[in-house]
Amino acid sequence: MSKALLYGATKIDETNSAYAPIESLAAFQWKNRVFIVFADRDNARAARQENQLLADRSALDERDMVVLKVSADKVRALFGAADGLDGEAIRHGLEGPEAGEFAAFLLGKDGTVKLKLSEPITNGELFAIIDSMPMRAEMLKSDK
């Protein structure tokens, strides 16, 4: 993990049973990786994170990503399809921040939290983390 990630990111120990799949996001399990941004509209860090992610839609699509924004109790899909999600259930399931505070989470295809961020992450760093995940690395290996 790069030095930039050490300030504001926590790579999750996947063997920790406290990080079980999030029930409210079960529809994505084994299909998509989910990146969730928590913040209200006027949060500059959230806006920066959204802009960075959406600048490379083909890379998001290639990695089977869905990007969600949770603001108060509402959920909006920024990339990919997502309907009928409950922002409060997601916030509670992830032990997310209070409404209005910035945080971001990356969930793997297995539905568990892989990364928790308190500061925005660059696409290069995020995609490097995803590409090192076992399911993604296996797929990349089979493409060669």
Side-chain angles (χ1 to χ4, degrees), residues 2 11 21 65 69 82 97 115 121 132 137 144:
S2 75
K11 190 159 185 183
M65 303 260 322
K69 180 176 183 180
L115 188 66
I121 187 172
S132 71
K144 291 183 180 179

Side-chain angles (χ1 to χ4, degrees), residues 31-51:
K31 294 182 239 163
N32 299 99
R33 291 174 185 89
V34 182
F35 191 87
I36 302 164
V37 177
F38 287 95
D40 286 333
R41 287 181 317 169
D42 298 333
N43 189 298
R45 290 182 294 175
R48 189 167 76 229
Q49 185 67 77
E50 290 171 37
N51 291 335

Side-chain angles (χ1 to χ4, degrees):
M1 200 177 321
S2 75
K3 287 182 184 175
L5 280 180
L6 295 176
Y7 304 103
T10 305
K11 190 159 185 183
I12 303 300
D13 173 10
E14 297 172 28
T15 62
N16 184 342
S17 62
Y19 290 96
I22 308 304
E23 191 175 318
S24 57
L25 296 169
F28 299 107
Q29 194 169 3
W30 305 118
K31 294 182 239 163
N32 299 99
R33 291 174 185 89
V34 182
F35 191 87
I36 302 164
V37 177
F38 287 95
D40 286 333
R41 287 181 317 169
D42 298 333
N43 189 298
R45 290 182 294 175
R48 189 167 76 229
Q49 185 67 77
E50 290 171 37
N51 291 335
Q52 286 178 19
L53 286 170
L54 298 178
D56 199 347
R57 292 171 183 267
S58 63
L60 293 172
D61 192 43
E62 180 184 318
R63 289 166 178 84
D64 300 324
M65 303 260 322
V66 170
V67 180
L68 305 175
K69 180 176 183 180
V70 177
S71 184
D73 63 344
K74 303 209 180 332
V75 180
R76 184 168 59 102
L78 300 176
F79 183 82
D83 292 318
L85 296 173
D86 180 346
E88 234 2 88
I90 293 171
R91 186 181 307 278
H92 179 73
L94 291 172
E95 296 179 10
E98 295 295 319
E101 293 181 28
F102 175 84
F105 291 78
L106 172 64
L107 279 61
K109 284 189 173 183
D110 64 358
T112 63
V113 175
K114 305 298 182 185
L115 188 66
K116 180 179 178 181
L117 301 157
S118 60
E119 292 295 328
I121 187 172
T122 67
N123 285 356
E125 290 170 322
L126 177 63
F127 297 153
I129 290 167
I130 292 169
D131 292 347
S132 71
M133 292 178 176
M135 288 183 76
R136 176 73 177 158
E138 225 12 76
M139 192 203 84
L140 290 172
K141 188 173 155 185
S142 68
D143 284 351
K144 291 183 180 179

